[in-house]
Amino acid sequence: MIYQVKFTLDEIEEVAKSLINEINDVNLILFKGELGSGKTTLIKSILKNLGVKENITSPTFSIVNQYLISNRLINHFDLYRIKSLTELDVIGFEEYLESGAVCFIEWPEIAMSKIIDNYIEIYIKFINEKTREITLK
Ligand SMILES: Nc1ncnc2c1ncn2[C@@H]1O[C@H](COP(=O)(O)OP(=O)(O)O)[C@@H](O)[C@H]1O
Ligand SMILES: [Mg+2]
C-alpha cells in the first residue's frame, strides 16, 4: 500500500485520523525524515486522536515515552541520541518490541536490524515553512 499526502498544521488532525485508519493492526510504525520535518508533531496528533489526554512531549531526552489508552500501552521512541546497538540493548529496546505494544519510532535507522516484524514506514518531507508531505509504505 502506498499513500502520499501534503498537509499544513491546520490539516494535520485529518491526516492523523486517516493514518490511524491505515495503521490498523500493525504495531510498529517508523517515522523517517530530517530534523524539524514534523515527526514529533505528527505523532502528537496521532496520540491525541487515539485518546491520550495528558500532555504529550518529545522523547528526545527520555528516548521513550509511554502512554496507556484503554489498557493498551503505546511507546513513543526517539532514537536520535542512540548511537550503537549496545545502547539500544541498555534501554531494553527488544523487550519493548516483543511486548506486542504499539511502538511509534522516530529515527528508527539505528534499530533496523532489530525490526523484523511487520511494520509501516512513514517518511516526512519538508515542502515549505507550512507544508509537509508524508509517504506511507
Ligand atoms: N504541516 C506541518 N506538519 C508538521 N509540522 C509542521 C508543519 N508545519 C509546520 N510545522 C512545524 O515544524 C516543526 C516540526 O518539528 P518536530 O515535529 O519536532 O520535527 P521532528 O520531530 O521531525 O524533528 C514544528 O515546529 C511544527 O510546528
Ligand atoms: Mg522529533
PDB file of all heavy atoms in Angstrom, residues 35-72:
ATOM      1  N   LEU A  35      15.520  16.360  10.707  1.00  0.00           N
ATOM      2  CA  LEU A  35      15.233  17.092  11.936  1.00  0.00           C
ATOM      3  C   LEU A  35      14.295  18.256  11.590  1.00  0.00           C
ATOM      4  O   LEU A  35      14.538  18.971  10.619  1.00  0.00           O
ATOM      5  CB  LEU A  35      16.558  17.643  12.479  1.00  0.00           C
ATOM      6  CG  LEU A  35      16.659  17.923  13.966  1.00  0.00           C
ATOM      7  CD1 LEU A  35      16.547  16.635  14.758  1.00  0.00           C
ATOM      8  CD2 LEU A  35      17.987  18.608  14.281  1.00  0.00           C
ATOM      9  N   GLY A  36      13.232  18.400  12.342  1.00  0.00           N
ATOM     10  CA  GLY A  36      12.294  19.500  12.110  1.00  0.00           C
ATOM     11  C   GLY A  36      11.294  19.242  11.001  1.00  0.00           C
ATOM     12  O   GLY A  36      10.516  20.125  10.634  1.00  0.00           O
ATOM     13  N   SER A  37      11.296  18.028  10.445  1.00  0.00           N
ATOM     14  CA  SER A  37      10.349  17.755   9.350  1.00  0.00           C
ATOM     15  C   SER A  37       8.926  17.600   9.884  1.00  0.00           C
ATOM     16  O   SER A  37       7.959  17.822   9.152  1.00  0.00           O
ATOM     17  CB  SER A  37      10.779  16.504   8.581  1.00  0.00           C
ATOM     18  OG  SER A  37      10.835  15.372   9.417  1.00  0.00           O
ATOM     19  N   GLY A  38       8.793  17.215  11.146  1.00  0.00           N
ATOM     20  CA  GLY A  38       7.449  17.135  11.723  1.00  0.00           C
ATOM     21  C   GLY A  38       7.059  15.777  12.281  1.00  0.00           C
ATOM     22  O   GLY A  38       5.875  15.506  12.509  1.00  0.00           O
ATOM     23  N   LYS A  39       8.048  14.926  12.551  1.00  0.00           N
ATOM     24  CA  LYS A  39       7.758  13.578  13.065  1.00  0.00           C
ATOM     25  C   LYS A  39       7.031  13.651  14.419  1.00  0.00           C
ATOM     26  O   LYS A  39       5.976  13.037  14.604  1.00  0.00           O
ATOM     27  CB  LYS A  39       9.071  12.772  13.216  1.00  0.00           C
ATOM     28  CG  LYS A  39       9.822  12.580  11.894  1.00  0.00           C
ATOM     29  CD  LYS A  39      11.121  11.809  12.062  1.00  0.00           C
ATOM     30  CE  LYS A  39      12.195  12.548  12.854  1.00  0.00           C
ATOM     31  NZ  LYS A  39      12.616  13.839  12.239  1.00  0.00           N
ATOM     32  N   THR A  40       7.626  14.408  15.339  1.00  0.00           N
ATOM     33  CA  THR A  40       7.023  14.503  16.674  1.00  0.00           C
ATOM     34  C   THR A  40       5.637  15.154  16.609  1.00  0.00           C
ATOM     35  O   THR A  40       4.694  14.686  17.264  1.00  0.00           O
ATOM     36  CB  THR A  40       7.937  15.323  17.615  1.00  0.00           C
ATOM     37  OG1 THR A  40       9.216  14.683  17.667  1.00  0.00           O
ATOM     38  CG2 THR A  40       7.361  15.413  19.019  1.00  0.00           C
ATOM     39  N   THR A  41       5.530  16.196  15.818  1.00  0.00           N
ATOM     40  CA  THR A  41       4.246  16.910  15.705  1.00  0.00           C
ATOM     41  C   THR A  41       3.153  15.980  15.187  1.00  0.00           C
ATOM     42  O   THR A  41       2.031  15.976  15.706  1.00  0.00           O
ATOM     43  CB  THR A  41       4.411  18.126  14.761  1.00  0.00           C
ATOM     44  OG1 THR A  41       5.502  18.922  15.245  1.00  0.00           O
ATOM     45  CG2 THR A  41       3.151  18.966  14.696  1.00  0.00           C
ATOM     46  N   LEU A  42       3.497  15.148  14.211  1.00  0.00           N
ATOM     47  CA  LEU A  42       2.517  14.212  13.659  1.00  0.00           C
ATOM     48  C   LEU A  42       2.167  13.122  14.677  1.00  0.00           C
ATOM     49  O   LEU A  42       0.979  12.791  14.854  1.00  0.00           O
ATOM     50  CB  LEU A  42       3.064  13.592  12.366  1.00  0.00           C
ATOM     51  CG  LEU A  42       2.145  12.610  11.638  1.00  0.00           C
ATOM     52  CD1 LEU A  42       0.816  13.280  11.255  1.00  0.00           C
ATOM     53  CD2 LEU A  42       2.827  12.058  10.384  1.00  0.00           C
ATOM     54  N   ILE A  43       3.163  12.595  15.366  1.00  0.00           N
ATOM     55  CA  ILE A  43       2.892  11.555  16.366  1.00  0.00           C
ATOM     56  C   ILE A  43       2.024  12.114  17.496  1.00  0.00           C
ATOM     57  O   ILE A  43       1.111  11.439  17.980  1.00  0.00           O
ATOM     58  CB  ILE A  43       4.215  10.949  16.913  1.00  0.00           C
ATOM     59  CG1 ILE A  43       4.927  10.172  15.799  1.00  0.00           C
ATOM     60  CG2 ILE A  43       3.949  10.033  18.113  1.00  0.00           C
ATOM     61  CD1 ILE A  43       6.346   9.729  16.135  1.00  0.00           C
ATOM     62  N   LYS A  44       2.294  13.372  17.893  1.00  0.00           N
ATOM     63  CA  LYS A  44       1.455  14.003  18.931  1.00  0.00           C
ATOM     64  C   LYS A  44      -0.003  14.016  18.502  1.00  0.00           C
ATOM     65  O   LYS A  44      -0.901  13.722  19.291  1.00  0.00           O
ATOM     66  CB  LYS A  44       1.908  15.451  19.172  1.00  0.00           C
ATOM     67  CG  LYS A  44       3.086  15.585  20.104  1.00  0.00           C
ATOM     68  CD  LYS A  44       3.354  17.066  20.373  1.00  0.00           C
ATOM     69  CE  LYS A  44       4.596  17.235  21.223  1.00  0.00           C
ATOM     70  NZ  LYS A  44       4.927  18.644  21.454  1.00  0.00           N
ATOM     71  N   SER A  45      -0.237  14.364  17.250  1.00  0.00           N
ATOM     72  CA  SER A  45      -1.616  14.428  16.752  1.00  0.00           C
ATOM     73  C   SER A  45      -2.237  13.029  16.700  1.00  0.00           C
ATOM     74  O   SER A  45      -3.418  12.850  17.048  1.00  0.00           O
ATOM     75  CB  SER A  45      -1.633  15.091  15.373  1.00  0.00           C
ATOM     76  OG  SER A  45      -2.953  15.236  14.929  1.00  0.00           O
ATOM     77  N   ILE A  46      -1.444  12.039  16.307  1.00  0.00           N
ATOM     78  CA  ILE A  46      -1.944  10.655  16.285  1.00  0.00           C
ATOM     79  C   ILE A  46      -2.311  10.212  17.706  1.00  0.00           C
ATOM     80  O   ILE A  46      -3.398   9.678  17.943  1.00  0.00           O
ATOM     81  CB  ILE A  46      -0.895   9.694  15.664  1.00  0.00           C
ATOM     82  CG1 ILE A  46      -0.707  10.000  14.173  1.00  0.00           C
ATOM     83  CG2 ILE A  46      -1.306   8.235  15.867  1.00  0.00           C
ATOM     84  CD1 ILE A  46       0.445   9.241  13.515  1.00  0.00           C
ATOM     85  N   LEU A  47      -1.396  10.466  18.671  1.00  0.00           N
ATOM     86  CA  LEU A  47      -1.650  10.050  20.058  1.00  0.00           C
ATOM     87  C   LEU A  47      -2.894  10.735  20.610  1.00  0.00           C
ATOM     88  O   LEU A  47      -3.721  10.112  21.282  1.00  0.00           O
ATOM     89  CB  LEU A  47      -0.428  10.367  20.935  1.00  0.00           C
ATOM     90  CG  LEU A  47       0.800   9.474  20.710  1.00  0.00           C
ATOM     91  CD1 LEU A  47       2.010  10.031  21.442  1.00  0.00           C
ATOM     92  CD2 LEU A  47       0.525   8.040  21.167  1.00  0.00           C
ATOM     93  N   LYS A  48      -3.018  12.030  20.320  1.00  0.00           N
ATOM     94  CA  LYS A  48      -4.183  12.786  20.786  1.00  0.00           C
ATOM     95  C   LYS A  48      -5.471  12.165  20.222  1.00  0.00           C
ATOM     96  O   LYS A  48      -6.447  11.969  20.943  1.00  0.00           O
ATOM     97  CB  LYS A  48      -4.048  14.247  20.339  1.00  0.00           C
ATOM     98  CG  LYS A  48      -5.043  15.173  20.931  1.00  0.00           C
ATOM     99  CD  LYS A  48      -4.695  16.626  20.635  1.00  0.00           C
ATOM    100  CE  LYS A  48      -5.955  17.449  20.569  1.00  0.00           C
ATOM    101  NZ  LYS A  48      -6.257  17.911  19.189  1.00  0.00           N
ATOM    102  N   ASN A  49      -5.430  11.817  18.960  1.00  0.00           N
ATOM    103  CA  ASN A  49      -6.616  11.239  18.328  1.00  0.00           C
ATOM    104  C   ASN A  49      -6.868   9.787  18.722  1.00  0.00           C
ATOM    105  O   ASN A  49      -7.963   9.272  18.508  1.00  0.00           O
ATOM    106  CB  ASN A  49      -6.547  11.400  16.809  1.00  0.00           C
ATOM    107  CG  ASN A  49      -6.930  12.808  16.409  1.00  0.00           C
ATOM    108  OD1 ASN A  49      -8.101  13.163  16.399  1.00  0.00           O
ATOM    109  ND2 ASN A  49      -5.932  13.645  16.160  1.00  0.00           N
ATOM    110  N   LEU A  50      -5.843   9.144  19.291  1.00  0.00           N
ATOM    111  CA  LEU A  50      -6.047   7.794  19.831  1.00  0.00           C
ATOM    112  C   LEU A  50      -6.636   7.872  21.238  1.00  0.00           C
ATOM    113  O   LEU A  50      -7.020   6.856  21.807  1.00  0.00           O
ATOM    114  CB  LEU A  50      -4.723   7.026  19.863  1.00  0.00           C
ATOM    115  CG  LEU A  50      -4.230   6.455  18.532  1.00  0.00           C
ATOM    116  CD1 LEU A  50      -2.826   5.892  18.679  1.00  0.00           C
ATOM    117  CD2 LEU A  50      -5.178   5.384  17.999  1.00  0.00           C
ATOM    118  N   GLY A  51      -6.630   9.090  21.799  1.00  0.00           N
ATOM    119  CA  GLY A  51      -7.266   9.263  23.097  1.00  0.00           C
ATOM    120  C   GLY A  51      -6.351   9.668  24.239  1.00  0.00           C
ATOM    121  O   GLY A  51      -6.782   9.669  25.398  1.00  0.00           O
ATOM    122  N   VAL A  52      -5.087   9.997  23.956  1.00  0.00           N
ATOM    123  CA  VAL A  52      -4.192  10.444  25.029  1.00  0.00           C
ATOM    124  C   VAL A  52      -4.637  11.841  25.479  1.00  0.00           C
ATOM    125  O   VAL A  52      -4.744  12.758  24.678  1.00  0.00           O
ATOM    126  CB  VAL A  52      -2.715  10.479  24.565  1.00  0.00           C
ATOM    127  CG1 VAL A  52      -1.819  11.074  25.643  1.00  0.00           C
ATOM    128  CG2 VAL A  52      -2.240   9.078  24.196  1.00  0.00           C
ATOM    129  N   LYS A  53      -4.913  11.949  26.792  1.00  0.00           N
ATOM    130  CA  LYS A  53      -5.411  13.216  27.327  1.00  0.00           C
ATOM    131  C   LYS A  53      -4.279  14.052  27.931  1.00  0.00           C
ATOM    132  O   LYS A  53      -4.354  15.261  27.993  1.00  0.00           O
ATOM    133  CB  LYS A  53      -6.466  12.951  28.413  1.00  0.00           C
ATOM    134  CG  LYS A  53      -7.706  12.238  27.896  1.00  0.00           C
ATOM    135  CD  LYS A  53      -8.705  13.241  27.310  1.00  0.00           C
ATOM    136  CE  LYS A  53      -9.996  12.547  26.893  1.00  0.00           C
ATOM    137  NZ  LYS A  53      -9.800  11.789  25.614  1.00  0.00           N
ATOM    138  N   GLU A  54      -3.238  13.322  28.434  1.00  0.00           N
ATOM    139  CA  GLU A  54      -2.151  14.047  29.088  1.00  0.00           C
ATOM    140  C   GLU A  54      -1.303  14.825  28.076  1.00  0.00           C
ATOM    141  O   GLU A  54      -1.397  14.603  26.875  1.00  0.00           O
ATOM    142  CB  GLU A  54      -1.294  13.063  29.889  1.00  0.00           C
ATOM    143  CG  GLU A  54      -0.584  12.044  29.016  1.00  0.00           C
ATOM    144  CD  GLU A  54      -0.465  10.662  29.648  1.00  0.00           C
ATOM    145  OE1 GLU A  54      -1.428   9.885  29.551  1.00  0.00           O
ATOM    146  OE2 GLU A  54       0.602  10.374  30.220  1.00  0.00           O
ATOM    147  N   ASN A  55      -0.464  15.694  28.614  1.00  0.00           N
ATOM    148  CA  ASN A  55       0.445  16.471  27.782  1.00  0.00           C
ATOM    149  C   ASN A  55       1.442  15.531  27.094  1.00  0.00           C
ATOM    150  O   ASN A  55       2.051  14.693  27.735  1.00  0.00           O
ATOM    151  CB  ASN A  55       1.163  17.474  28.692  1.00  0.00           C
ATOM    152  CG  ASN A  55       2.069  18.393  27.915  1.00  0.00           C
ATOM    153  OD1 ASN A  55       1.719  18.839  26.817  1.00  0.00           O
ATOM    154  ND2 ASN A  55       3.234  18.663  28.458  1.00  0.00           N
ATOM    155  N   ILE A  56       1.586  15.664  25.795  1.00  0.00           N
ATOM    156  CA  ILE A  56       2.495  14.789  25.043  1.00  0.00           C
ATOM    157  C   ILE A  56       3.766  15.570  24.727  1.00  0.00           C
ATOM    158  O   ILE A  56       3.696  16.628  24.113  1.00  0.00           O
ATOM    159  CB  ILE A  56       1.831  14.295  23.731  1.00  0.00           C
ATOM    160  CG1 ILE A  56       0.505  13.582  24.045  1.00  0.00           C
ATOM    161  CG2 ILE A  56       2.775  13.387  22.963  1.00  0.00           C
ATOM    162  CD1 ILE A  56      -0.400  13.416  22.827  1.00  0.00           C
ATOM    163  N   THR A  57       4.903  15.033  25.171  1.00  0.00           N
ATOM    164  CA  THR A  57       6.168  15.726  24.937  1.00  0.00           C
ATOM    165  C   THR A  57       7.062  14.888  24.018  1.00  0.00           C
ATOM    166  O   THR A  57       6.813  13.698  23.816  1.00  0.00           O
ATOM    167  CB  THR A  57       6.919  15.974  26.264  1.00  0.00           C
ATOM    168  OG1 THR A  57       7.122  14.709  26.897  1.00  0.00           O
ATOM    169  CG2 THR A  57       6.115  16.877  27.188  1.00  0.00           C
ATOM    170  N   SER A  58       8.108  15.503  23.497  1.00  0.00           N
ATOM    171  CA  SER A  58       9.044  14.769  22.653  1.00  0.00           C
ATOM    172  C   SER A  58       9.951  13.904  23.519  1.00  0.00           C
ATOM    173  O   SER A  58      10.466  14.360  24.528  1.00  0.00           O
ATOM    174  CB  SER A  58       9.904  15.747  21.848  1.00  0.00           C
ATOM    175  OG  SER A  58      10.883  15.021  21.144  1.00  0.00           O
ATOM    176  N   PRO A  59      10.160  12.634  23.129  1.00  0.00           N
ATOM    177  CA  PRO A  59      11.071  11.791  23.917  1.00  0.00           C
ATOM    178  C   PRO A  59      12.543  11.989  23.548  1.00  0.00           C
ATOM    179  O   PRO A  59      13.340  11.070  23.714  1.00  0.00           O
ATOM    180  CB  PRO A  59      10.587  10.378  23.590  1.00  0.00           C
ATOM    181  CG  PRO A  59       9.931  10.486  22.265  1.00  0.00           C
ATOM    182  CD  PRO A  59       9.509  11.908  22.045  1.00  0.00           C
ATOM    183  N   THR A  60      12.907  13.164  23.069  1.00  0.00           N
ATOM    184  CA  THR A  60      14.300  13.420  22.659  1.00  0.00           C
ATOM    185  C   THR A  60      15.280  13.044  23.761  1.00  0.00           C
ATOM    186  O   THR A  60      16.299  12.414  23.503  1.00  0.00           O
ATOM    187  CB  THR A  60      14.507  14.907  22.293  1.00  0.00           C
ATOM    188  OG1 THR A  60      13.486  15.278  21.384  1.00  0.00           O
ATOM    189  CG2 THR A  60      15.868  15.124  21.663  1.00  0.00           C
ATOM    190  N   PHE A  61      14.975  13.424  25.005  1.00  0.00           N
ATOM    191  CA  PHE A  61      15.895  13.162  26.110  1.00  0.00           C
ATOM    192  C   PHE A  61      15.562  11.881  26.872  1.00  0.00           C
ATOM    193  O   PHE A  61      16.455  11.189  27.335  1.00  0.00           O
ATOM    194  CB  PHE A  61      15.986  14.379  27.030  1.00  0.00           C
ATOM    195  CG  PHE A  61      16.572  15.553  26.291  1.00  0.00           C
ATOM    196  CD1 PHE A  61      15.770  16.553  25.782  1.00  0.00           C
ATOM    197  CD2 PHE A  61      17.949  15.594  26.029  1.00  0.00           C
ATOM    198  CE1 PHE A  61      16.310  17.595  25.036  1.00  0.00           C
ATOM    199  CE2 PHE A  61      18.497  16.633  25.283  1.00  0.00           C
ATOM    200  CZ  PHE A  61      17.670  17.637  24.784  1.00  0.00           C
ATOM    201  N   SER A  62      14.299  11.559  26.951  1.00  0.00           N
ATOM    202  CA  SER A  62      13.886  10.345  27.674  1.00  0.00           C
ATOM    203  C   SER A  62      14.050   9.084  26.814  1.00  0.00           C
ATOM    204  O   SER A  62      13.996   7.979  27.326  1.00  0.00           O
ATOM    205  CB  SER A  62      12.421  10.480  28.101  1.00  0.00           C
ATOM    206  OG  SER A  62      11.623  10.799  26.974  1.00  0.00           O
ATOM    207  N   ILE A  63      14.230   9.269  25.486  1.00  0.00           N
ATOM    208  CA  ILE A  63      14.308   8.184  24.493  1.00  0.00           C
ATOM    209  C   ILE A  63      12.953   7.512  24.251  1.00  0.00           C
ATOM    210  O   ILE A  63      12.583   7.268  23.114  1.00  0.00           O
ATOM    211  CB  ILE A  63      15.365   7.076  24.821  1.00  0.00           C
ATOM    212  CG1 ILE A  63      16.721   7.699  25.143  1.00  0.00           C
ATOM    213  CG2 ILE A  63      15.487   6.068  23.686  1.00  0.00           C
ATOM    214  CD1 ILE A  63      17.429   8.415  24.002  1.00  0.00           C
ATOM    215  N   VAL A  64      12.221   7.217  25.350  1.00  0.00           N
ATOM    216  CA  VAL A  64      10.896   6.621  25.148  1.00  0.00           C
ATOM    217  C   VAL A  64       9.894   7.199  26.145  1.00  0.00           C
ATOM    218  O   VAL A  64      10.209   7.377  27.323  1.00  0.00           O
ATOM    219  CB  VAL A  64      10.941   5.069  25.209  1.00  0.00           C
ATOM    220  CG1 VAL A  64      11.510   4.557  26.508  1.00  0.00           C
ATOM    221  CG2 VAL A  64       9.562   4.461  24.954  1.00  0.00           C
ATOM    222  N   ASN A  65       8.723   7.539  25.646  1.00  0.00           N
ATOM    223  CA  ASN A  65       7.595   7.945  26.491  1.00  0.00           C
ATOM    224  C   ASN A  65       6.500   6.901  26.322  1.00  0.00           C
ATOM    225  O   ASN A  65       6.297   6.398  25.219  1.00  0.00           O
ATOM    226  CB  ASN A  65       7.028   9.309  26.066  1.00  0.00           C
ATOM    227  CG  ASN A  65       7.976  10.453  26.380  1.00  0.00           C
ATOM    228  OD1 ASN A  65       8.926  10.305  27.148  1.00  0.00           O
ATOM    229  ND2 ASN A  65       7.731  11.601  25.766  1.00  0.00           N
ATOM    230  N   GLN A  66       5.806   6.603  27.425  1.00  0.00           N
ATOM    231  CA  GLN A  66       4.745   5.591  27.360  1.00  0.00           C
ATOM    232  C   GLN A  66       3.387   6.183  27.692  1.00  0.00           C
ATOM    233  O   GLN A  66       3.280   7.045  28.574  1.00  0.00           O
ATOM    234  CB  GLN A  66       5.023   4.470  28.365  1.00  0.00           C
ATOM    235  CG  GLN A  66       6.186   3.589  27.967  1.00  0.00           C
ATOM    236  CD  GLN A  66       6.204   2.296  28.767  1.00  0.00           C
ATOM    237  OE1 GLN A  66       6.122   2.323  29.979  1.00  0.00           O
ATOM    238  NE2 GLN A  66       6.290   1.185  28.068  1.00  0.00           N
ATOM    239  N   TYR A  67       2.383   5.708  27.005  1.00  0.00           N
ATOM    240  CA  TYR A  67       1.007   6.144  27.233  1.00  0.00           C
ATOM    241  C   TYR A  67       0.114   4.918  27.353  1.00  0.00           C
ATOM    242  O   TYR A  67       0.346   3.917  26.677  1.00  0.00           O
ATOM    243  CB  TYR A  67       0.524   7.021  26.069  1.00  0.00           C
ATOM    244  CG  TYR A  67       1.416   8.214  25.853  1.00  0.00           C
ATOM    245  CD1 TYR A  67       2.481   8.151  24.959  1.00  0.00           C
ATOM    246  CD2 TYR A  67       1.238   9.382  26.593  1.00  0.00           C
ATOM    247  CE1 TYR A  67       3.335   9.231  24.786  1.00  0.00           C
ATOM    248  CE2 TYR A  67       2.085  10.468  26.431  1.00  0.00           C
ATOM    249  CZ  TYR A  67       3.126  10.378  25.527  1.00  0.00           C
ATOM    250  OH  TYR A  67       3.979  11.450  25.376  1.00  0.00           O
ATOM    251  N   LEU A  68      -0.884   5.034  28.200  1.00  0.00           N
ATOM    252  CA  LEU A  68      -1.839   3.947  28.363  1.00  0.00           C
ATOM    253  C   LEU A  68      -3.186   4.431  27.846  1.00  0.00           C
ATOM    254  O   LEU A  68      -3.726   5.430  28.330  1.00  0.00           O
ATOM    255  CB  LEU A  68      -1.921   3.579  29.847  1.00  0.00           C
ATOM    256  CG  LEU A  68      -2.548   2.241  30.200  1.00  0.00           C
ATOM    257  CD1 LEU A  68      -1.769   1.086  29.571  1.00  0.00           C
ATOM    258  CD2 LEU A  68      -2.602   2.071  31.713  1.00  0.00           C
ATOM    259  N   ILE A  69      -3.700   3.748  26.824  1.00  0.00           N
ATOM    260  CA  ILE A  69      -5.001   4.114  26.273  1.00  0.00           C
ATOM    261  C   ILE A  69      -5.905   2.894  26.325  1.00  0.00           C
ATOM    262  O   ILE A  69      -5.624   1.893  25.667  1.00  0.00           O
ATOM    263  CB  ILE A  69      -4.900   4.609  24.809  1.00  0.00           C
ATOM    264  CG1 ILE A  69      -3.897   5.754  24.713  1.00  0.00           C
ATOM    265  CG2 ILE A  69      -6.257   5.064  24.293  1.00  0.00           C
ATOM    266  CD1 ILE A  69      -3.503   6.074  23.297  1.00  0.00           C
ATOM    267  N   SER A  70      -6.975   2.998  27.072  1.00  0.00           N
ATOM    268  CA  SER A  70      -7.894   1.888  27.336  1.00  0.00           C
ATOM    269  C   SER A  70      -7.158   0.551  27.462  1.00  0.00           C
ATOM    270  O   SER A  70      -7.366  -0.394  26.695  1.00  0.00           O
ATOM    271  CB  SER A  70      -9.036   1.814  26.317  1.00  0.00           C
ATOM    272  OG  SER A  70      -8.590   1.954  25.010  1.00  0.00           O
ATOM    273  N   ASN A  71      -6.239   0.537  28.464  1.00  0.00           N
ATOM    274  CA  ASN A  71      -5.467  -0.662  28.817  1.00  0.00           C
ATOM    275  C   ASN A  71      -4.485  -1.146  27.765  1.00  0.00           C
ATOM    276  O   ASN A  71      -3.952  -2.236  27.867  1.00  0.00           O
ATOM    277  CB  ASN A  71      -6.398  -1.823  29.205  1.00  0.00           C
ATOM    278  CG  ASN A  71      -7.024  -1.585  30.557  1.00  0.00           C
ATOM    279  OD1 ASN A  71      -6.345  -1.083  31.463  1.00  0.00           O
ATOM    280  ND2 ASN A  71      -8.288  -1.897  30.685  1.00  0.00           N
ATOM    281  N   ARG A  72      -4.249  -0.332  26.740  1.00  0.00           N
ATOM    282  CA  ARG A  72      -3.218  -0.703  25.758  1.00  0.00           C
ATOM    283  C   ARG A  72      -2.057   0.275  25.883  1.00  0.00           C
ATOM    284  O   ARG A  72      -2.255   1.499  25.950  1.00  0.00           O
ATOM    285  CB  ARG A  72      -3.772  -0.651  24.335  1.00  0.00           C
ATOM    286  CG  ARG A  72      -4.695  -1.816  24.020  1.00  0.00           C
ATOM    287  CD  ARG A  72      -4.698  -2.120  22.540  1.00  0.00           C
ATOM    288  NE  ARG A  72      -3.409  -2.599  22.069  1.00  0.00           N
ATOM    289  CZ  ARG A  72      -3.121  -2.787  20.777  1.00  0.00           C
ATOM    290  NH1 ARG A  72      -4.007  -2.520  19.857  1.00  0.00           N
ATOM    291  NH2 ARG A  72      -1.932  -3.235  20.412  1.00  0.00           N
TER     292      ARG A  72
END
